[in-house]
Amino acid sequence: MMRVIKVVVLMMMMMMVSMVREGKGEKARHFKWEVGYVFWSPDCEEKMMIGINGKYPGPTIRAKEGDTIVVQLKNNLPTEGVVIHWHGIRQFGTPWADGTAAISQCPIKPDETFTYRFKADKAGTYFYHGHYGMQRAAGLYGSLIVDVADGEKEPFHYDGELNLLLSDWFHQSIHSQMLGLSSNPFRWIGEPQSLLINGRGQYNCSLAAHVLRDGSTSCQINSSDCAPLTLRVLPNKTYRIRIASTTSLSSLNLAIGNHKMTVVEADGNYVQPFIVDDMDIYSGESYSVLITTDQNPLSNYWISVGVRGRLPKTLPALAILNYHPNSPSRLPTLIPPTTPAWNDYAHSKSFTYKILAREGTPMPPNNTSHKIALLNTQTKINGCIRWSINNISLVLSSTPHLGSIKYGLKDALQTGKPAENFPSDYNVMIPPINPNSTKGNNVYKLEFNSTIDVILQNANALAVNASEIHPWHLHGHDFWVLGYGEGRFTEADITQFNLKNPPLRNTVVIFPYGWTAIRFVANNPGVWAFHCHVEPHLHMGMGIIFSEGVDLVGKIPSEALTCGETGKLLMKNHQN
């Protein structure tokens, strides 16, 4: 009875919010996209990429809070499916539009069209990307920016806005990468050939290192695709810079020469403003920072992006902050900011721990209904290297979980209820004693409206003295980051939890040999992915799935379920 009351109250609240927003001029914003292969030179080396409407990166979507975004997407890839995930959009009432292949929908088949329709439910800095195979690593991504609704104001002032979409780029095709990751012997993808800013970089060339006396550069810029990005600004103004990372592998650090940055937003949520000289950005994260253009107006300044968390074998990416009226092609005379040492984790933690919720941010429930501990380990299955969670490596089925759970269909890959903890004697500081694991769906069924604590526990990989950074992204929700710690999590660590001003995020980092604790409310009917946002790690099984309130999901569009067992069910019902 209580559950029914809670559901009714939730639906009434959502209707009230909808009615309020209708009075603020919400609109439907329509986009018509065709996804296909393009020849492009993002780092001055021409390669085949995935583009939208013949271009890379994909077009920027701009909407206002409360607007409905409608994207009619046609798949022009000749031999593979495609989906688009709207990263950070929670999809209240539209879980089939989340864009996760085999979880929320079937892949869109070649030469077929699927229409995504969803609410831009919260102002903030977001992006979109492919979520089938490793298509994000092939260039399928773009920016998605949601402005405050008409009549609303941001809690900070700025005179202008700039946008930085960061990524890394591999010359090896994603199909070759996937084959190597699944091979025995294992073939690692290696480090990226380039870092890109708004889809532009220069392979094997540092602009700053090749500046000649006449102000030119010896880098061979043979295509407008890879021309250095310039951001034009006026002196003595305040600019908001929106930053998001779609990287396949790399953790990044960003700095702007001679300019301090004030962090004001993280993953679409306002944070207590704090000032930094540089900032770490992990795959899947987004931020807004404010800068003041109070430096010498006769100069331009470098924007530098370098690798963190891995021994860098990739040159930093550089863009130019161009003070008007200087020429955009005039290279800065000062050297670019230096990226901190790749393994200076103290520097990274110092930045991360400063991110706290701004006053007025919703606070987490004081108590939890359910706690799940997830051990991130590197394992083997039939001799092949995999990543596993509580010793189960994620493998997706041919039937989308949203449909199979909604309609009570048998899931062939389900291995039973996944473990919610790991052995008490597991030593996270050494390689696993028994490296063998199994495959499964890793579907955790949560009680609707329950409060969930998740402890993300990092550990040693298969190699000795090896533990990596893992940024984890949750679909369908924001969560509160309650705390971080070193070594193995214990019950005593609960006393460290921040319940006063924990930040709301949708992506969070786990540091090597450490743990991260998050809390969220399972109040969004649907089936939601929770996974490491490093593309090869997810491909190798580092993820789980949360199912909550699926019986409350309305009618799922039939075009989202045309594959696997749901496809057979639809065909049978059509014949009848």
Side-chain angles (χ1 to χ4, degrees), residues 93 110 143 164 211 239 245 321 336-337 372 428 441 457 480 560:
S143 294
L164 297 178
V211 175
Y239 287 88
S245 174
L321 189 69
I372 301 172
V428 302
N441 284 342
Q457 177 67 65
W480 292 276

Side-chain angles (χ1 to χ4, degrees), residues 273-350:
F274 63 98
I275 299 173
V276 295
D277 294 315
D278 62 86
M279 58 188 296
D280 283 352
I281 307 170
Y282 302 103
S283 179
E285 290 187 330
S286 63
Y287 291 95
S288 283
V289 301
L290 303 179
I291 67 165
T292 301
T293 52
D294 55 3
Q295 297 303 299
N296 181 356
L298 301 178
S299 297
N300 289 336
Y301 298 87
W302 290 114
I303 300 171
S304 179
V305 177
V307 172
R308 301 283 278 120
R310 305 181 65 86
L311 182 62
K313 299 179 181 178
T314 309
L315 291 171
L318 296 174
I320 298 172
L321 189 69
N322 169 220
Y323 271 60
H324 180 78
N326 298 322
S327 169
S329 61
R330 180 180 176 184
L331 297 179
T333 55
L334 298 176
I335 64 171
T338 303
T339 303
W342 70 272
N343 56 354
D344 184 356
Y345 295 115
H347 188 89
S348 300
K349 293 172 184 177
S350 175

Side-chain angles (χ1 to χ4, degrees), residues 43 167-171 189-196 201-206 249-252 304-308 310-317 339 342:
D43 63 357
S167 52
D168 50 10
W169 176 239
F170 294 79
H171 290 175
I189 64 172
E191 301 303 310
Q193 277 62 61
S194 309
L195 301 181
L196 307 178
Q202 294 80 39
Y203 171 58
N204 205 24
C205 165
S206 170
L249 175 67
S250 306
S251 301
L252 302 175
S304 179
V305 177
V307 172
R308 301 283 278 120
R310 305 181 65 86
L311 182 62
K313 299 179 181 178
T314 309
L315 291 171
T339 303
W342 70 272

Side-chain angles (χ1 to χ4, degrees), residues 1-9 446-449 548-552:
M1 184 65 180
M2 286 298 296
R3 183 185 181 207
V4 174
I5 293 173
K6 287 181 180 178
V7 172
V8 172
V9 170
L446 307 177
E447 181 181 352
F448 186 66
N449 263 343
E548 60 198 65
V550 177
D551 55 320
L552 304 174

Side-chain angles (χ1 to χ4, degrees), residues 3 6 365 367-372 445-453 477 480 519-524 547-549:
R3 183 185 181 207
K6 287 181 180 178
N367 299 300
T368 185
S369 313
H370 193 174
K371 187 177 77 176
I372 301 172
K445 295 186 177 180
L446 307 177
E447 181 181 352
F448 186 66
N449 263 343
S450 60
T451 300
I452 310 298
D453 277 8
H477 306 78
W480 292 276
R519 178 172 293 177
F520 70 97
V521 179
N523 60 359
N524 191 1
S547 167
E548 60 198 65

Side-chain angles (χ1 to χ4, degrees), residues 147-264:
D147 292 306
V148 295
D150 290 338
E152 301 290 334
K153 290 185 178 181
E154 304 275 12
F156 41 81
H157 167 78
Y158 53 98
D159 302 302
E161 184 178 303
L162 307 168
N163 189 34
L164 297 178
L165 187 62
L166 310 180
S167 52
D168 50 10
W169 176 239
F170 294 79
H171 290 175
Q172 184 183 27
S173 75
I174 59 167
H175 304 98
S176 179
Q177 290 181 48
M178 290 189 291
L179 176 60
L181 293 171
S182 305
S183 295
N184 187 4
F186 181 68
R187 297 187 183 186
W188 177 238
I189 64 172
E191 301 303 310
Q193 277 62 61
S194 309
L195 301 181
L196 307 178
I197 303 176
N198 290 7
R200 300 184 187 187
Q202 294 80 39
Y203 171 58
N204 205 24
C205 165
S206 170
L207 289 172
H210 290 79
V211 175
L212 304 179
R213 290 181 181 178
D214 61 0
S216 64
T217 172
S218 62
C219 289
Q220 297 300 312
I221 309 299
N222 53 22
S223 170
S224 60
D225 298 346
C226 62
L229 177 71
T230 57
L231 300 179
R232 200 160 176 79
V233 296
L234 296 174
N236 300 311
K237 300 290 184 180
T238 297
Y239 287 88
R240 177 185 190 168
I241 305 180
R242 297 180 183 266
I243 309 162
S245 174
T246 71
T247 55
S248 173
L249 175 67
S250 306
S251 301
L252 302 175
N253 179 272
L254 179 142
I256 304 173
N258 279 29
H259 292 73
K260 292 185 179 296
M261 298 176 285
T262 301
V263 182
V264 294

Side-chain angles (χ1 to χ4, degrees), residues 497-517:
F497 284 0
N498 174 17
L499 298 178
K500 179 182 177 182
N501 54 2
L504 269 173
R505 304 294 303 265
N506 61 55
T507 304
V508 70
V509 62
I510 326 174
F511 291 109
Y513 298 109
W515 57 264
T516 299

